[in-house]
């Protein structure tokens, strides 16, 4: 994929991801960033295949606060691990993947939940939706979120609770979310998947676009995943 196209996809993903979580956004130079208001309260900046000079500027942004995170879209992890070491940054995570799917010819109708024990609830707010699957007494089985940005449905936090796995609920939630925003002009899907989620999305027809490398300050022992 061309670098310019990858940068455009990243901007779209950040817009949808931040919208679904109600995160404030800003620009760090020419790069998007979102404030993790429900976690550290600090910022995560994003870049796709940045130049060495751009990386230096982003590293300066990182140095201003212990809890900041830098997320790089790249399949050249060695190059950016080396740059990170040179600028005093450490690897937070390297096993996620940006993925895309074309909805043309795909089923976007409301799916049928083939489980009498569970009920589907869909909450739609403007160009975003939340889907939950739960028992009659409120025990959560699965959930997910989606927001439409620039013609893409950006999926986020697709979770099946351990007790309810291997019942097809992950696939069901994805179909329900797609149906919920089908009237908002989204003809493609976009998401960042954990290594576990990648197996499901490959099965559903999603394609890999780019690896994801997350960097942190060494003084910060932990940091959130983009899927938390």
């Amino acid at each position: 994929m061309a670098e310019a196209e990858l940068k455009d996809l990243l901007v779209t993903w950040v817009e949808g991801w931040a919208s679904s979580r109600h995160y404030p956004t800003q620009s760090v130079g020419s790069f998007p960033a979102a404030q993790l208001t429900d976690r550290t309260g600090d910022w995560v900046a994003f870049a796709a295949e940045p130049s060495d000079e751009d990386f230096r500027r982003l590293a300066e942004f990182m140095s201003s606060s212990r809890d900041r995170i830098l997320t790089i879209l790249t399949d050249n992890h060695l190059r950016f691990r080396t740059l990170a070491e040179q600028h005093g940054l450490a690897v937070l995570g390297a096993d996620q993947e940006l993925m895309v799917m074309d909805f043309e010819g795909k089923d976007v109708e409301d799916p049928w939940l083939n489980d009498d024990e569970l009920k589907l609830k869909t909450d739609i707010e403007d160009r975003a939706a939340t889907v939950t699957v739960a028992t009659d007494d409120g025990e959560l089985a699965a959930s997910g979120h989606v927001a439409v940005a620039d013609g893409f449905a950006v999926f986020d936090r697709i979770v099946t609770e351990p007790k309810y796995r291997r019942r097809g609920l992950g696939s069901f939630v994805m179909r329900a979310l797609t149906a919920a925003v089908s009237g908002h002009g989204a003809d493609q899907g976009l998401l960042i998947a954990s290594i576990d989620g990648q197996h499901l999305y490959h099965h559903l027809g999603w394609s890999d676009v780019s690896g994801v490398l997350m960097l942190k300050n060494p003084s910060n022992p932990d940091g959130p995943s983009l899927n938390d």
Side-chain angles (χ1 to χ4, degrees), residues 13-23 25 127-128 147-149 157:
W13 178 86
V14 172
E15 180 183 344
W17 178 76
S19 174
S20 73
R21 297 178 179 230
H22 305 288
Y23 287 161
T25 58
R127 297 167 63 83
V148 177
R157 290 170 291 172

Side-chain angles (χ1 to χ4, degrees), residues 66-77:
R66 169 182 178 273
D67 291 326
R68 288 185 176 172
I69 295 169
L70 175 58
T71 298
I72 305 291
L73 292 190
T74 183
D75 286 321
N76 189 351
H77 282 209

Side-chain angles (χ1 to χ4, degrees), residues 1-45:
M1 175 175 290
E3 186 173 316
E5 186 178 358
L6 184 61
K7 290 179 178 178
D8 288 343
L9 281 180
L10 176 60
V11 169
T12 298
W13 178 86
V14 172
E15 180 183 344
W17 178 76
S19 174
S20 73
R21 297 178 179 230
H22 305 288
Y23 287 161
T25 58
Q26 69 172 8
S27 294
V28 178
S30 61
F31 301 102
Q35 186 180 19
L36 307 180
T37 52
D38 58 343
R39 290 181 271 184
T40 64
D42 217 318
W43 293 85
V44 51

Side-chain angles (χ1 to χ4, degrees), residues 8-9 23-25 33 37 40 48 58-59 64 109 156 158 163 165 172 176:
D8 288 343
L9 281 180
Y23 287 161
T25 58
T37 52
T40 64
L58 289 164
S64 298
E109 299 297 322
D156 182 37
I158 312 302
K163 178 180 175 181
R165 290 175 184 166
F172 175 83

Side-chain angles (χ1 to χ4, degrees), residues 37 43 45 58 73 96 141 155 190 200 217:
T37 52
W43 293 85
L58 289 164
L73 292 190
Q96 298 182 90
F155 296 83
L190 193 63
L200 167 65
N217 288 301

Side-chain angles (χ1 to χ4, degrees), residues 101-104 108 127 146-155 177-178 181-190:
M101 179 174 172
D102 190 337
F103 291 154
E104 184 177 358
V108 294
R127 297 167 63 83
V146 66
V148 177
D150 196 25
F152 284 84
V154 180
F155 296 83
L177 289 169
T178 303
V181 295
S182 61
H184 291 288
D187 54 12
Q188 295 183 84
L190 193 63

